Amino acid sequence: MKEYTGIAASPGISIGEVLVYTQELYIPNFSISTLQVELEINRFYEALNKTQDDYKEMQRKLGLELTEDESKLFDAHILMTQDTTFFNNVVETIRETKKNIEYVLYNIIMDISAKFTQQDDEYFQDRALDIIDFGRNILRHLLQQKDFSLSQLDKDAVIISSDLTVSDTASMNRKHVMAFVTEKGGRTSHAAILANSLSIPAVLGIPLVTKEFKTGDKIIVDGDTGIVILNPDEETLNDYSRRKTEREENEKKLKTLLERSSDTLDGKHIALRANLEIPEQELDNLMEQRPEGIGLYRSEFLYLSRRKQSLPSEDQHFNTYKVILERIPEDKVVVRTLDVGGDKILEGVTEREPNPNLGWRAIRFCLDNKDIFKTQLRALYRASMYGNLHIMLPMISTIDELNETKQLIEDVKKELKKEGLAHKDRVPLGVMIETPAAVMISDTLAKNCDFFSIGSNDLIQYTLACDRANSRVSHLYQPLHPAVLQMIKITIDNAHKNGIPVSICGEMGASAENAAILIGLGIDELSVSPTNILKMKDFITNIKYSDAKKLADEVLTMPNQAKIQQRVEQWLKKHIR
Ligand code: PEP
Ligand code: MG
């Protein structure tokens, strides 16, 4: 038995078996004898046929979901498996060099892809990615290594990985992923946020787990404390099984709060809304928690959860928003416009940048790609007919970005009118406050929009110059740092001075110790992952706003997170039974 401690990123306890998930391929390199040459060539053809069958099967399974472009892409992959120039090249190279097929194939694929990459044309850059994907698929058959796409998982497992991309997490088969543990990542990385929304316990930032853990090992993952136990003894197993049952019983007790309004004991209403990423997977559970609508729909997951990442059409956008609005016709539904970039890479659409969080992200990307942005705005305005839609803009740092978007909205409305497409005349427009610049101009922004939502995940990273997804600096990622609290205070004061509401939709709002201060500072709404709604309702309904206000005034004078945290803990002990 061995115990590890990492970052507690998504709550819950799981007890199960390890599956080490790695995308790395080990390419053996050895010489073969003349007698082995034909055998090696046969292995190549067998792997090629299997790859072709895989593509056909995948195309058949996904048939209904594929757009015309994606379907063509599959056809292109199938054509690659029939390309005689390519086969002849592989076969001749095996004959000439007398090297094993994996080595020969790997080098040929890398050569072709490098030739594509050198072309200064997006089309060829995409083909370079396709050829690598194609090569990997043949190599997997040769190496008898399964393509561990987490979407194809067919038995329960705790996933151990160096890192998980947002698309890995978005496409994983929720039914079988019991928990995940990674070497990299932070509490507010998007993979962690998704784990929360999908109620998958997760612990991040434990070095070397992919080397030290083996597929089939027994494991306990405690997403509440960040503890991971490898091959636990009998006593530990019993202890955690008991804790897991207790947890489930507590969750059942919280259900008694479903009908209750989220008011403090002295009558201040704090709206509790839900964050949403993948409607198909989350909406049913989300609705069961009875939130007052959606405080943040991260619409980029419409792009990221698709198997082949590509841009959705206006109708695909429209249908998704319509489904959400029809499920929640009265309460507010806040759709945040496309926030790609940072750790949310769209292959072939956004670029890998040296400083992705400071780069071509969110509103910056959208305003530079007006066609993409307009497609989304058109769909949003068309969908506005089906409920109480609000639109929110991510990563605003200048008033010009807000004004330019408003102009675009006017253009979109004119177009829709001309085309006779129904839409509301006005959809409330909000700004995410997630850069220090937005905080400092929040008075001006508030005069020009309808609501604010504090994106604390980013606001903390930008205020403290601390990458939210880098486990090495996670100790500096401090929600209760005095600088962060000052930023939040300025934002709330400026919003209220101008008569607009402020919500917080970052992870910070989902813990009692942070929320005590946020409520004291005057926050109007908390938007949290569905799993946290009843927990936060339990908290809100047990405190007085007047006490929280005193606490906030007091901690604003304190010098560091440690002292603030200590004070809040004392406060919670006194005020929460
Ligand atoms: C945030 O930054 O707090 C936020 C809610 O947006 P995201 O986590 O998607 O960047
Ligand atoms: Mg953000």
Side-chain angles (χ1 to χ4, degrees), residues 540-569:
I540 294 168
T541 52
N542 272 300
I543 60 159
K544 279 193 184 159
Y545 166 62
S546 56
D547 291 335
K549 188 167 179 327
K550 276 187 217 138
L551 172 72
D553 288 343
E554 189 186 336
V555 299
L556 279 175
T557 63
M558 293 183 163
N560 62 12
Q561 163 156 290
K563 292 231 157 58
I564 296 174
Q565 217 158 20
Q566 201 183 19
R567 175 68 190 105
V568 183
E569 274 161 24

PDB file of all heavy atoms in Angstrom, residues 540-569:
ATOM      1  N   ILE A 540     -25.839  28.772   2.438  1.00  0.00           N
ATOM      2  CA  ILE A 540     -26.508  30.084   2.393  1.00  0.00           C
ATOM      3  C   ILE A 540     -27.649  30.155   3.415  1.00  0.00           C
ATOM      4  O   ILE A 540     -27.816  31.161   4.116  1.00  0.00           O
ATOM      5  CB  ILE A 540     -27.069  30.365   0.969  1.00  0.00           C
ATOM      6  CG1 ILE A 540     -25.919  30.510  -0.030  1.00  0.00           C
ATOM      7  CG2 ILE A 540     -27.957  31.611   0.936  1.00  0.00           C
ATOM      8  CD1 ILE A 540     -26.339  30.490  -1.490  1.00  0.00           C
ATOM      9  N   THR A 541     -28.423  29.075   3.489  1.00  0.00           N
ATOM     10  CA  THR A 541     -29.609  29.119   4.347  1.00  0.00           C
ATOM     11  C   THR A 541     -29.247  29.009   5.837  1.00  0.00           C
ATOM     12  O   THR A 541     -30.124  29.051   6.690  1.00  0.00           O
ATOM     13  CB  THR A 541     -30.612  27.994   3.970  1.00  0.00           C
ATOM     14  OG1 THR A 541     -29.884  26.749   3.953  1.00  0.00           O
ATOM     15  CG2 THR A 541     -31.218  28.232   2.609  1.00  0.00           C
ATOM     16  N   ASN A 542     -27.967  28.856   6.140  1.00  0.00           N
ATOM     17  CA  ASN A 542     -27.548  28.748   7.546  1.00  0.00           C
ATOM     18  C   ASN A 542     -26.765  29.949   8.051  1.00  0.00           C
ATOM     19  O   ASN A 542     -26.254  29.922   9.168  1.00  0.00           O
ATOM     20  CB  ASN A 542     -26.692  27.494   7.727  1.00  0.00           C
ATOM     21  CG  ASN A 542     -27.575  26.310   8.032  1.00  0.00           C
ATOM     22  OD1 ASN A 542     -28.293  26.306   9.024  1.00  0.00           O
ATOM     23  ND2 ASN A 542     -27.567  25.335   7.145  1.00  0.00           N
ATOM     24  N   ILE A 543     -26.595  30.979   7.215  1.00  0.00           N
ATOM     25  CA  ILE A 543     -25.827  32.141   7.681  1.00  0.00           C
ATOM     26  C   ILE A 543     -26.656  33.417   7.577  1.00  0.00           C
ATOM     27  O   ILE A 543     -27.683  33.447   6.905  1.00  0.00           O
ATOM     28  CB  ILE A 543     -24.524  32.346   6.855  1.00  0.00           C
ATOM     29  CG1 ILE A 543     -24.861  32.564   5.363  1.00  0.00           C
ATOM     30  CG2 ILE A 543     -23.574  31.192   7.024  1.00  0.00           C
ATOM     31  CD1 ILE A 543     -23.752  33.259   4.599  1.00  0.00           C
ATOM     32  N   LYS A 544     -26.151  34.463   8.263  1.00  0.00           N
ATOM     33  CA  LYS A 544     -26.797  35.772   8.124  1.00  0.00           C
ATOM     34  C   LYS A 544     -25.916  36.631   7.227  1.00  0.00           C
ATOM     35  O   LYS A 544     -24.691  36.657   7.398  1.00  0.00           O
ATOM     36  CB  LYS A 544     -26.885  36.442   9.494  1.00  0.00           C
ATOM     37  CG  LYS A 544     -28.038  35.975  10.326  1.00  0.00           C
ATOM     38  CD  LYS A 544     -28.170  36.938  11.494  1.00  0.00           C
ATOM     39  CE  LYS A 544     -29.242  36.469  12.429  1.00  0.00           C
ATOM     40  NZ  LYS A 544     -29.077  37.048  13.757  1.00  0.00           N
ATOM     41  N   TYR A 545     -26.563  37.372   6.340  1.00  0.00           N
ATOM     42  CA  TYR A 545     -25.813  38.300   5.483  1.00  0.00           C
ATOM     43  C   TYR A 545     -25.073  39.318   6.353  1.00  0.00           C
ATOM     44  O   TYR A 545     -23.909  39.657   6.097  1.00  0.00           O
ATOM     45  CB  TYR A 545     -26.780  38.992   4.509  1.00  0.00           C
ATOM     46  CG  TYR A 545     -26.168  40.197   3.818  1.00  0.00           C
ATOM     47  CD1 TYR A 545     -25.059  40.060   2.985  1.00  0.00           C
ATOM     48  CD2 TYR A 545     -26.696  41.477   4.015  1.00  0.00           C
ATOM     49  CE1 TYR A 545     -24.487  41.159   2.370  1.00  0.00           C
ATOM     50  CE2 TYR A 545     -26.132  42.588   3.404  1.00  0.00           C
ATOM     51  CZ  TYR A 545     -25.024  42.421   2.590  1.00  0.00           C
ATOM     52  OH  TYR A 545     -24.448  43.507   1.992  1.00  0.00           O
ATOM     53  N   SER A 546     -25.721  39.797   7.420  1.00  0.00           N
ATOM     54  CA  SER A 546     -25.081  40.838   8.252  1.00  0.00           C
ATOM     55  C   SER A 546     -23.777  40.311   8.872  1.00  0.00           C
ATOM     56  O   SER A 546     -22.786  41.041   8.968  1.00  0.00           O
ATOM     57  CB  SER A 546     -26.045  41.322   9.341  1.00  0.00           C
ATOM     58  OG  SER A 546     -26.487  40.225  10.099  1.00  0.00           O
ATOM     59  N   ASP A 547     -23.760  39.013   9.262  1.00  0.00           N
ATOM     60  CA  ASP A 547     -22.523  38.448   9.826  1.00  0.00           C
ATOM     61  C   ASP A 547     -21.446  38.331   8.742  1.00  0.00           C
ATOM     62  O   ASP A 547     -20.263  38.605   8.966  1.00  0.00           O
ATOM     63  CB  ASP A 547     -22.772  37.041  10.384  1.00  0.00           C
ATOM     64  CG  ASP A 547     -23.648  37.076  11.634  1.00  0.00           C
ATOM     65  OD1 ASP A 547     -23.653  38.119  12.311  1.00  0.00           O
ATOM     66  OD2 ASP A 547     -24.331  36.060  11.888  1.00  0.00           O
ATOM     67  N   ALA A 548     -21.883  37.915   7.539  1.00  0.00           N
ATOM     68  CA  ALA A 548     -20.918  37.743   6.431  1.00  0.00           C
ATOM     69  C   ALA A 548     -20.315  39.095   6.061  1.00  0.00           C
ATOM     70  O   ALA A 548     -19.130  39.193   5.730  1.00  0.00           O
ATOM     71  CB  ALA A 548     -21.617  37.116   5.232  1.00  0.00           C
ATOM     72  N   LYS A 549     -21.138  40.130   6.139  1.00  0.00           N
ATOM     73  CA  LYS A 549     -20.651  41.468   5.777  1.00  0.00           C
ATOM     74  C   LYS A 549     -19.547  41.898   6.758  1.00  0.00           C
ATOM     75  O   LYS A 549     -18.498  42.412   6.353  1.00  0.00           O
ATOM     76  CB  LYS A 549     -21.828  42.448   5.778  1.00  0.00           C
ATOM     77  CG  LYS A 549     -21.457  43.803   5.238  1.00  0.00           C
ATOM     78  CD  LYS A 549     -22.676  44.632   4.949  1.00  0.00           C
ATOM     79  CE  LYS A 549     -22.308  46.010   4.415  1.00  0.00           C
ATOM     80  NZ  LYS A 549     -21.072  46.569   4.941  1.00  0.00           N
ATOM     81  N   LYS A 550     -19.792  41.634   8.049  1.00  0.00           N
ATOM     82  CA  LYS A 550     -18.762  41.987   9.062  1.00  0.00           C
ATOM     83  C   LYS A 550     -17.476  41.210   8.776  1.00  0.00           C
ATOM     84  O   LYS A 550     -16.374  41.747   8.861  1.00  0.00           O
ATOM     85  CB  LYS A 550     -19.267  41.641  10.465  1.00  0.00           C
ATOM     86  CG  LYS A 550     -20.133  42.745  11.059  1.00  0.00           C
ATOM     87  CD  LYS A 550     -20.466  42.432  12.516  1.00  0.00           C
ATOM     88  CE  LYS A 550     -21.890  42.874  12.794  1.00  0.00           C
ATOM     89  NZ  LYS A 550     -22.682  41.966  13.600  1.00  0.00           N
ATOM     90  N   LEU A 551     -17.647  39.930   8.455  1.00  0.00           N
ATOM     91  CA  LEU A 551     -16.460  39.107   8.155  1.00  0.00           C
ATOM     92  C   LEU A 551     -15.685  39.687   6.969  1.00  0.00           C
ATOM     93  O   LEU A 551     -14.458  39.835   7.011  1.00  0.00           O
ATOM     94  CB  LEU A 551     -16.904  37.670   7.829  1.00  0.00           C
ATOM     95  CG  LEU A 551     -15.800  36.745   7.306  1.00  0.00           C
ATOM     96  CD1 LEU A 551     -14.830  36.368   8.432  1.00  0.00           C
ATOM     97  CD2 LEU A 551     -16.378  35.466   6.684  1.00  0.00           C
ATOM     98  N   ALA A 552     -16.431  40.059   5.902  1.00  0.00           N
ATOM     99  CA  ALA A 552     -15.763  40.591   4.704  1.00  0.00           C
ATOM    100  C   ALA A 552     -15.010  41.874   5.053  1.00  0.00           C
ATOM    101  O   ALA A 552     -13.845  42.042   4.647  1.00  0.00           O
ATOM    102  CB  ALA A 552     -16.786  40.843   3.602  1.00  0.00           C
ATOM    103  N   ASP A 553     -15.640  42.770   5.797  1.00  0.00           N
ATOM    104  CA  ASP A 553     -14.965  44.026   6.171  1.00  0.00           C
ATOM    105  C   ASP A 553     -13.669  43.719   6.916  1.00  0.00           C
ATOM    106  O   ASP A 553     -12.638  44.344   6.701  1.00  0.00           O
ATOM    107  CB  ASP A 553     -15.873  44.873   7.081  1.00  0.00           C
ATOM    108  CG  ASP A 553     -17.030  45.471   6.274  1.00  0.00           C
ATOM    109  OD1 ASP A 553     -16.924  45.489   5.038  1.00  0.00           O
ATOM    110  OD2 ASP A 553     -18.037  45.881   6.884  1.00  0.00           O
ATOM    111  N   GLU A 554     -13.749  42.720   7.795  1.00  0.00           N
ATOM    112  CA  GLU A 554     -12.587  42.402   8.621  1.00  0.00           C
ATOM    113  C   GLU A 554     -11.446  41.804   7.772  1.00  0.00           C
ATOM    114  O   GLU A 554     -10.301  42.255   7.869  1.00  0.00           O
ATOM    115  CB  GLU A 554     -13.037  41.404   9.692  1.00  0.00           C
ATOM    116  CG  GLU A 554     -12.006  41.137  10.751  1.00  0.00           C
ATOM    117  CD  GLU A 554     -12.468  40.029  11.686  1.00  0.00           C
ATOM    118  OE1 GLU A 554     -13.690  39.785  11.822  1.00  0.00           O
ATOM    119  OE2 GLU A 554     -11.569  39.383  12.261  1.00  0.00           O
ATOM    120  N   VAL A 555     -11.774  40.840   6.898  1.00  0.00           N
ATOM    121  CA  VAL A 555     -10.679  40.180   6.168  1.00  0.00           C
ATOM    122  C   VAL A 555     -10.043  41.095   5.119  1.00  0.00           C
ATOM    123  O   VAL A 555      -8.884  40.887   4.736  1.00  0.00           O
ATOM    124  CB  VAL A 555     -11.094  38.828   5.515  1.00  0.00           C
ATOM    125  CG1 VAL A 555     -11.542  37.839   6.554  1.00  0.00           C
ATOM    126  CG2 VAL A 555     -12.147  39.012   4.444  1.00  0.00           C
ATOM    127  N   LEU A 556     -10.787  42.112   4.692  1.00  0.00           N
ATOM    128  CA  LEU A 556     -10.203  43.027   3.698  1.00  0.00           C
ATOM    129  C   LEU A 556      -8.996  43.779   4.248  1.00  0.00           C
ATOM    130  O   LEU A 556      -8.209  44.342   3.492  1.00  0.00           O
ATOM    131  CB  LEU A 556     -11.254  44.037   3.215  1.00  0.00           C
ATOM    132  CG  LEU A 556     -12.223  43.537   2.142  1.00  0.00           C
ATOM    133  CD1 LEU A 556     -13.287  44.586   1.849  1.00  0.00           C
ATOM    134  CD2 LEU A 556     -11.499  43.154   0.857  1.00  0.00           C
ATOM    135  N   THR A 557      -8.853  43.789   5.565  1.00  0.00           N
ATOM    136  CA  THR A 557      -7.711  44.493   6.150  1.00  0.00           C
ATOM    137  C   THR A 557      -6.543  43.537   6.421  1.00  0.00           C
ATOM    138  O   THR A 557      -5.509  43.943   6.936  1.00  0.00           O
ATOM    139  CB  THR A 557      -8.105  45.148   7.492  1.00  0.00           C
ATOM    140  OG1 THR A 557      -8.468  44.082   8.391  1.00  0.00           O
ATOM    141  CG2 THR A 557      -9.272  46.108   7.347  1.00  0.00           C
ATOM    142  N   MET A 558      -6.714  42.264   6.116  1.00  0.00           N
ATOM    143  CA  MET A 558      -5.671  41.274   6.483  1.00  0.00           C
ATOM    144  C   MET A 558      -4.610  41.131   5.401  1.00  0.00           C
ATOM    145  O   MET A 558      -4.896  41.331   4.220  1.00  0.00           O
ATOM    146  CB  MET A 558      -6.332  39.934   6.777  1.00  0.00           C
ATOM    147  CG  MET A 558      -7.177  40.001   8.031  1.00  0.00           C
ATOM    148  SD  MET A 558      -7.868  38.404   8.409  1.00  0.00           S
ATOM    149  CE  MET A 558      -8.325  38.684  10.103  1.00  0.00           C
ATOM    150  N   PRO A 559      -3.372  40.716   5.791  1.00  0.00           N
ATOM    151  CA  PRO A 559      -2.253  40.789   4.856  1.00  0.00           C
ATOM    152  C   PRO A 559      -2.078  39.614   3.899  1.00  0.00           C
ATOM    153  O   PRO A 559      -1.440  39.760   2.854  1.00  0.00           O
ATOM    154  CB  PRO A 559      -1.031  40.867   5.778  1.00  0.00           C
ATOM    155  CG  PRO A 559      -1.456  40.127   7.009  1.00  0.00           C
ATOM    156  CD  PRO A 559      -2.922  40.358   7.154  1.00  0.00           C
ATOM    157  N   ASN A 560      -2.566  38.416   4.268  1.00  0.00           N
ATOM    158  CA  ASN A 560      -2.314  37.284   3.353  1.00  0.00           C
ATOM    159  C   ASN A 560      -3.394  36.219   3.456  1.00  0.00           C
ATOM    160  O   ASN A 560      -4.234  36.245   4.366  1.00  0.00           O
ATOM    161  CB  ASN A 560      -0.929  36.668   3.602  1.00  0.00           C
ATOM    162  CG  ASN A 560      -0.802  36.099   5.004  1.00  0.00           C
ATOM    163  OD1 ASN A 560      -1.797  35.960   5.728  1.00  0.00           O
ATOM    164  ND2 ASN A 560       0.405  35.770   5.411  1.00  0.00           N
ATOM    165  N   GLN A 561      -3.353  35.283   2.483  1.00  0.00           N
ATOM    166  CA  GLN A 561      -4.400  34.251   2.431  1.00  0.00           C
ATOM    167  C   GLN A 561      -4.419  33.410   3.708  1.00  0.00           C
ATOM    168  O   GLN A 561      -5.486  33.083   4.215  1.00  0.00           O
ATOM    169  CB  GLN A 561      -4.208  33.360   1.207  1.00  0.00           C
ATOM    170  CG  GLN A 561      -4.976  32.054   1.332  1.00  0.00           C
ATOM    171  CD  GLN A 561      -5.317  31.367   0.026  1.00  0.00           C
ATOM    172  OE1 GLN A 561      -6.140  31.842  -0.743  1.00  0.00           O
ATOM    173  NE2 GLN A 561      -4.715  30.226  -0.200  1.00  0.00           N
ATOM    174  N   ALA A 562      -3.234  33.081   4.244  1.00  0.00           N
ATOM    175  CA  ALA A 562      -3.190  32.195   5.410  1.00  0.00           C
ATOM    176  C   ALA A 562      -4.009  32.794   6.561  1.00  0.00           C
ATOM    177  O   ALA A 562      -4.834  32.104   7.191  1.00  0.00           O
ATOM    178  CB  ALA A 562      -1.742  31.975   5.838  1.00  0.00           C
ATOM    179  N   LYS A 563      -3.799  34.090   6.849  1.00  0.00           N
ATOM    180  CA  LYS A 563      -4.511  34.730   7.963  1.00  0.00           C
ATOM    181  C   LYS A 563      -6.018  34.796   7.652  1.00  0.00           C
ATOM    182  O   LYS A 563      -6.853  34.576   8.528  1.00  0.00           O
ATOM    183  CB  LYS A 563      -3.976  36.165   8.172  1.00  0.00           C
ATOM    184  CG  LYS A 563      -2.548  36.194   8.687  1.00  0.00           C
ATOM    185  CD  LYS A 563      -2.459  37.105   9.923  1.00  0.00           C
ATOM    186  CE  LYS A 563      -1.274  36.778  10.805  1.00  0.00           C
ATOM    187  NZ  LYS A 563       0.035  36.863  10.153  1.00  0.00           N
ATOM    188  N   ILE A 564      -6.330  35.102   6.395  1.00  0.00           N
ATOM    189  CA  ILE A 564      -7.747  35.218   6.021  1.00  0.00           C
ATOM    190  C   ILE A 564      -8.439  33.855   6.173  1.00  0.00           C
ATOM    191  O   ILE A 564      -9.514  33.746   6.751  1.00  0.00           O
ATOM    192  CB  ILE A 564      -7.883  35.760   4.567  1.00  0.00           C
ATOM    193  CG1 ILE A 564      -7.314  37.189   4.504  1.00  0.00           C
ATOM    194  CG2 ILE A 564      -9.328  35.731   4.101  1.00  0.00           C
ATOM    195  CD1 ILE A 564      -7.241  37.808   3.129  1.00  0.00           C
ATOM    196  N   GLN A 565      -7.736  32.822   5.699  1.00  0.00           N
ATOM    197  CA  GLN A 565      -8.313  31.479   5.769  1.00  0.00           C
ATOM    198  C   GLN A 565      -8.577  31.061   7.221  1.00  0.00           C
ATOM    199  O   GLN A 565      -9.638  30.531   7.554  1.00  0.00           O
ATOM    200  CB  GLN A 565      -7.332  30.506   5.127  1.00  0.00           C
ATOM    201  CG  GLN A 565      -8.008  29.423   4.365  1.00  0.00           C
ATOM    202  CD  GLN A 565      -7.056  28.844   3.336  1.00  0.00           C
ATOM    203  OE1 GLN A 565      -5.830  28.994   3.436  1.00  0.00           O
ATOM    204  NE2 GLN A 565      -7.604  28.189   2.353  1.00  0.00           N
ATOM    205  N   GLN A 566      -7.596  31.368   8.054  1.00  0.00           N
ATOM    206  CA  GLN A 566      -7.717  31.017   9.476  1.00  0.00           C
ATOM    207  C   GLN A 566      -8.945  31.705  10.091  1.00  0.00           C
ATOM    208  O   GLN A 566      -9.745  31.101  10.786  1.00  0.00           O
ATOM    209  CB  GLN A 566      -6.460  31.519  10.167  1.00  0.00           C
ATOM    210  CG  GLN A 566      -6.171  30.842  11.471  1.00  0.00           C
ATOM    211  CD  GLN A 566      -4.925  31.494  12.083  1.00  0.00           C
ATOM    212  OE1 GLN A 566      -4.529  32.610  11.721  1.00  0.00           O
ATOM    213  NE2 GLN A 566      -4.319  30.804  13.014  1.00  0.00           N
ATOM    214  N   ARG A 567      -9.114  32.980   9.752  1.00  0.00           N
ATOM    215  CA  ARG A 567     -10.232  33.752  10.294  1.00  0.00           C
ATOM    216  C   ARG A 567     -11.563  33.195   9.788  1.00  0.00           C
ATOM    217  O   ARG A 567     -12.521  33.061  10.542  1.00  0.00           O
ATOM    218  CB  ARG A 567     -10.067  35.239   9.885  1.00  0.00           C
ATOM    219  CG  ARG A 567     -11.216  36.119  10.289  1.00  0.00           C
ATOM    220  CD  ARG A 567     -11.310  36.275  11.815  1.00  0.00           C
ATOM    221  NE  ARG A 567     -12.542  36.914  12.236  1.00  0.00           N
ATOM    222  CZ  ARG A 567     -13.577  36.285  12.802  1.00  0.00           C
ATOM    223  NH1 ARG A 567     -13.522  34.982  13.053  1.00  0.00           N
ATOM    224  NH2 ARG A 567     -14.654  36.954  13.149  1.00  0.00           N
ATOM    225  N   VAL A 568     -11.597  32.847   8.485  1.00  0.00           N
ATOM    226  CA  VAL A 568     -12.857  32.321   7.937  1.00  0.00           C
ATOM    227  C   VAL A 568     -13.192  30.979   8.586  1.00  0.00           C
ATOM    228  O   VAL A 568     -14.358  30.704   8.900  1.00  0.00           O
ATOM    229  CB  VAL A 568     -12.791  32.143   6.397  1.00  0.00           C
ATOM    230  CG1 VAL A 568     -14.117  31.668   5.851  1.00  0.00           C
ATOM    231  CG2 VAL A 568     -12.419  33.438   5.728  1.00  0.00           C
ATOM    232  N   GLU A 569     -12.168  30.155   8.808  1.00  0.00           N
ATOM    233  CA  GLU A 569     -12.439  28.855   9.435  1.00  0.00           C
ATOM    234  C   GLU A 569     -13.062  29.030  10.820  1.00  0.00           C
ATOM    235  O   GLU A 569     -14.029  28.364  11.173  1.00  0.00           O
ATOM    236  CB  GLU A 569     -11.161  28.021   9.511  1.00  0.00           C
ATOM    237  CG  GLU A 569     -10.963  27.243   8.209  1.00  0.00           C
ATOM    238  CD  GLU A 569      -9.543  26.760   8.007  1.00  0.00           C
ATOM    239  OE1 GLU A 569      -8.807  26.597   9.003  1.00  0.00           O
ATOM    240  OE2 GLU A 569      -9.158  26.576   6.829  1.00  0.00           O
TER     241      GLU A 569
END
